[in-house]
């Protein structure tokens, strides 16, 4: 059973934001998903590397090499400075990856 402190821990709050973001993507409410991702990121700064990598990939697909390189470098720097990832953190990375790719596919299709 989860105690009151665990219920409001940083990881749990971020996980809840990610779950809602996944639901938003399924409902094709991409703007809301982006807001939820930003809230989760504020709680889980070690996931910035994954987000930067996905942003870099998006810019690459759009042919915007300068921006792609900038975010690639940011991703590399974040990855180098982050600590070893736990299993729970890996689950969050998978959710971020899913959401970022869904949003990326949507916005690239519109461009």
């Amino acid at each position: 059973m989860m105690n009151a402190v665990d219920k409001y821990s940083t990881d749990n709050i971020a996980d809840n934001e990610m779950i809602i973001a996944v639901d938003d993507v399924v409902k094709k409410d991409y703007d809301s998903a982006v807001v939820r991702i930003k809230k989760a990121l504020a709680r889980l700064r070690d996931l910035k590397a994954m987000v930067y990598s996905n942003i870099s990939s998006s810019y690459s697909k759009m042919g915007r090499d300068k921006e792609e390189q900038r975010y690639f470098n940011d991703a590399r720097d974040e990855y180098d400075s982050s600590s070893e990832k736990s299993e729970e953190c890996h689950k969050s990375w998978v959710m971020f990856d899913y959401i970022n790719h869904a949003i990326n596919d949507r916005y690239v299709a519109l461009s």
Side-chain angles (χ1 to χ4, degrees):
M1 184 169 175
M2 184 183 301
N3 67 38
V5 173
D6 289 340
K7 181 178 179 183
Y8 298 104
S9 75
T10 298
D11 288 343
N12 287 332
I13 292 169
D15 286 346
N16 289 337
E17 292 293 343
M18 291 305 302
I19 289 166
I20 295 168
V22 169
D23 289 339
D24 288 341
V25 168
V26 170
K27 293 185 243 176
K28 301 187 184 321
D29 186 355
Y30 301 109
D31 292 331
S32 180
V34 169
V35 169
R36 296 294 180 172
I37 290 168
K38 287 178 180 179
K39 287 180 181 180
L41 266 180
R43 305 264 181 202
L44 300 171
R45 300 321 266 164
D46 56 341
L47 295 176
K48 285 186 346 185
M50 175 64 77
V51 173
Y52 285 149
S53 178
N54 287 331
I55 292 170
S56 175
S57 176
S58 296
Y59 278 126
S60 177
K61 289 177 183 178
M62 292 185 281
R64 295 172 62 178
D65 297 334
K66 186 176 182 179
E67 291 95 341
E68 180 266 336
Q69 188 63 45
R70 175 182 160 225
Y71 281 98
F72 175 82
N73 290 337
D74 289 345
R76 185 193 59 219
D77 293 345
E78 283 296 323
Y79 182 74
D80 288 344
S81 69
S82 65
S83 60
E84 187 174 314
K85 307 293 181 237
S86 69
E87 182 180 337
E88 285 301 313
C89 189
H90 175 73
K91 290 177 188 176
S92 294
W93 277 62
V94 170
M95 285 193 288
F96 266 114
D97 191 48
Y98 167 76
I99 292 167
N100 283 318
H101 280 94
I103 292 170
N104 175 50
D105 291 346
R106 169 72 175 153
Y107 285 110
V108 169
L110 294 175
S111 62

